[in-house]
Amino acid sequence: MEKEGAIEFWRIRNKRLSDVLTTGSGILVVTGRVIGILERYGFMGWRKFKVVIKDKKKGVISEGYWGISVVSNILRRRRDLYREVVEERLNGTKKIRKFGWYFEPEDWDGSDFNLLGGVSLIVTKRVKDVFEKEKVKNISIDSVHDIEIF
């Protein structure tokens, strides 16, 4: 049954629905269980909205899913701060890889969910720890210090 005012998402890849579905943007689609976790722990920086997940063959295939939009932004990323790793190649050359997303603490409002530079979704360690404790499925959270920058 379609929900009035809900945003439609079409299932393309996943054969099974899970706790967290990515959309390729700063929006996540999550189960009511995940919304309950977010509300119970008082996480900040997100808002929920109604969604319907559809499939070409089956029509509406989900009930109990919600969209999450991240409403907190850290607008400036420190591109001058990073960790370098030098890799030596078999042919004797070296490649320098750069890692780490950094920002100024005063640019952060303390929210648990943030968009860094308006694009990249980042969460606090507390969110990561709670998601692991609550066994939220289909989510991978890496340290901002381990993300390769280009």
Side-chain angles (χ1 to χ4, degrees):
M1 182 142 195
E2 291 192 34
K3 297 176 184 175
E4 188 174 321
I7 295 176
E8 292 182 0
F9 285 91
W10 289 82
R11 182 171 72 163
I12 296 172
R13 292 188 187 132
N14 301 344
K15 290 186 179 187
R16 288 184 298 171
L17 297 176
S18 189
D19 286 333
V20 178
L21 306 174
T22 58
T23 63
S25 69
I27 294 174
L28 298 175
V29 176
V30 301
T31 60
R33 181 177 93 84
V34 173
I35 293 294
I37 292 168
L38 298 176
E39 291 174 342
R40 186 168 64 248
Y41 285 88
F43 291 127
M44 298 180 345
W46 63 278
R47 298 290 180 266
K48 69 182 178 184
F49 58 92
K50 295 177 186 178
V51 300
V52 171
I53 301 172
K54 290 187 170 186
D55 182 276
K56 277 189 173 183
K57 294 179 184 176
K58 299 177 184 176
V60 175
I61 58 170
S62 69
E63 287 295 327
Y65 275 82
W66 291 86
I68 292 179
S69 62
V70 176
V71 296
S72 181
N73 283 288
I74 300 171
L75 297 176
R76 297 181 299 157
R77 190 173 109 200
R78 290 285 309 265
R79 295 185 185 276
D80 60 325
L81 297 178
Y82 50 82
R83 174 175 49 91
E84 288 187 346
V85 174
V86 178
E87 294 180 346
E88 294 199 27
R89 297 181 172 179
L90 293 176
N91 65 3
T93 62
K94 295 180 181 180
K95 178 181 180 179
I96 298 174
R97 296 175 65 193
K98 299 174 183 178
F99 294 87
W101 285 353
Y102 297 91
F103 56 89
E104 296 295 338
E106 61 268 13
D107 291 341
W108 177 46
D109 68 2
S111 293
D112 297 288
F113 285 79
N114 299 274
L115 288 177
L116 181 57
V119 177
S120 303
L121 174 61
I122 62 172
V123 298
T124 60
K125 184 175 182 316
R126 182 170 166 253
V127 171
K128 179 185 184 301
D129 293 344
V130 166
F131 277 17
E132 287 174 355
K133 175 184 165 191
E134 298 285 346
K135 296 179 174 52
V136 175
K137 292 181 175 48
N138 197 32
I139 190 119
S140 174
I141 301 173
D142 298 317
S143 170
V144 292
H145 304 292
D146 294 333
I147 297 173
E148 187 167 11
I149 59 173
F150 302 97

